[in-house]
Amino acid sequence: MPEIISIIDNKQCYGCEACYNTCQFNAITMKKVEDGFRYPVVDKDKCIECGGCSKNCPAIPGNMSVIKDNKYKQRVYSVRLKDTGVRKISSSGGAFTAISDKVLEQHGCVVGVVWNNDFSVKHIIATELYQRDMMRQSKYIQSEIGSCYKLIKEKIKNEQLVLFTGTPCQNAGLKLYLGNMDLSKLILCDVLCGGNVSPVFFKDYLKYIEKKQKDKVTDICFRTKIIGWKQHHILINLKKLYIRELGAIMNHSFTYI
């Protein structure tokens, strides 16, 4: 059986969906398990054991040398936009807006995370500003990649500039999936990650808030600045505001202090 089976069985899987996008035989589907996270499930009747999924899995130690190549000189920048208005509606300094503006100006596309109506999150491909604007602000929940990797591959083949924003494991999965392609048209942007929150856990939390406040959640901001820039707070919009101090998001759980 593919090496990826041991990764799934031992809960080492990141849920990046690279294997799902890789399989040409529809042998892999993404399903939620008891803890609410999405993991790949391999249909052994459809699997021909080609090894493609294992080749593109960032959780397999042997693939790390491919991810950590030295082809490009590494640089680290600290960015803060001068535009205070953009910074206020961003999670941090507004770097995503600045980078994505340049990509869209060059008729490229931006791949990032947006809210679903049920407050789960997913990656979409944006070619318009209004779609990009929906991607602003960090969403600390496991996102659904869907077929985005496949679509990105086609965009790059057509020499279209692509900006992909995601967690380090999602970026690694995409890089492995694209293999030996010329990546000069791809900008990978990591979101610093301490571990995603389970979508089920987060929905249960929202249900608790709705029950306690006897109201309906209409909007969420994980890092609101309406009560200051130095402390991290989660803002949940109901018919009345609901604000809690956000301590840490680690190990798939919230800690409130």
Side-chain angles (χ1 to χ4, degrees):
M1 292 302 294
E3 189 178 355
I4 198 171
I5 295 294
S6 64
I7 296 294
I8 299 168
D9 290 346
N10 291 297
K11 301 296 183 183
Q12 296 173 311
C13 173
Y14 298 127
C16 71
E17 303 192 37
C19 59
Y20 167 74
N21 279 265
T22 298
C23 185
Q24 302 177 34
F25 306 97
N26 298 318
I28 297 178
T29 54
M30 299 297 297
K31 293 185 178 179
K32 287 183 181 178
V33 297
E34 188 176 351
D35 63 8
F37 289 96
R38 289 164 52 84
Y39 291 102
V41 175
V42 179
D43 185 334
K44 296 177 182 178
D45 292 330
K46 293 181 179 179
C47 177
I48 66 166
E49 301 187 29
C50 67
C53 56
S54 298
K55 181 181 177 182
N56 294 336
C57 175
I60 293 177
N63 293 334
M64 291 305 294
S65 60
V66 179
I67 299 167
K68 295 180 178 180
D69 63 49
N70 295 315
K71 188 183 298 182
Y72 303 103
K73 191 175 290 185
Q74 301 296 309
R75 292 186 177 91
V76 177
Y77 296 94
S78 179
V79 178
R80 182 176 67 179
L81 263 65
K82 294 181 180 179
D83 189 328
T84 305
V86 173
R87 292 208 312 270
K88 282 184 177 180
I89 58 175
S90 302
S91 289
S92 191
F96 167 72
T97 296
I99 298 169
S100 57
D101 275 347
K102 289 298 181 182
V103 170
L104 293 175
E105 285 173 11
Q106 297 177 56
H107 306 290
C109 62
V110 180
V111 187
V113 174
V114 300
W115 290 106
N116 289 315
N117 291 333
D118 63 352
F119 295 109
S120 59
V121 296
K122 66 180 178 182
H123 271 78
I124 67 167
I125 297 180
T127 55
E128 302 289 342
L129 283 173
Y130 80 91
Q131 296 169 315
R132 186 284 309 275
D133 291 349
M134 295 164 60
M135 299 174 181
R136 281 186 176 133
Q137 300 182 348
S138 299
K139 304 163 184 72
Y140 301 115
I141 310 167
Q142 184 189 35
S143 66
E144 180 181 348
I145 290 287
S147 299
C148 279
Y149 293 168
K150 295 178 183 178
L151 296 173
I152 290 170
K153 191 172 189 176
E154 290 303 313
K155 301 273 185 192
I156 294 174
K157 281 182 178 179
N158 293 327
E159 298 189 345
Q160 186 174 7
L161 183 62
V162 178
L163 167 65
F164 178 84
T165 60
T167 58
C169 60
Q170 290 169 338
N171 276 277
L174 174 59
K175 190 173 182 181
L176 286 168
Y177 171 76
L178 295 174
N180 295 321
M181 289 185 68
D182 178 5
L183 302 184
S184 60
K185 290 290 185 179
L186 175 66
I187 301 171
L188 293 173
C189 184
D190 279 356
V191 176
L192 295 179
C193 178
N196 277 329
V197 174
S198 160
V200 170
F201 176 90
F202 187 64
K203 285 183 182 179
D204 286 345
Y205 172 70
L206 295 182
K207 288 178 183 177
Y208 163 76
I209 295 299
E210 290 180 332
K211 183 177 179 180
K212 183 177 180 180
Q213 299 295 320
K214 298 179 181 178
D215 208 341
K216 192 77 174 172
V217 174
T218 59
D219 193 26
I220 299 165
C221 176
F222 273 104
R223 298 184 70 179
T224 181
K225 296 184 175 76
I226 66 171
I227 52 177
W229 291 67
K230 294 185 178 181
Q231 298 297 323
H232 294 170
H233 297 83
I234 179 171
L235 168 66
I236 297 176
N237 278 326
L238 305 154
K239 289 182 181 177
K240 48 190 174 182
L241 289 180
Y242 186 86
I243 303 175
R244 291 290 300 271
E245 187 173 351
L246 180 60
I249 302 178
M250 297 290 288
N251 300 323
H252 299 166
S253 65
F254 282 117
T255 301
Y256 291 106
I257 58 175

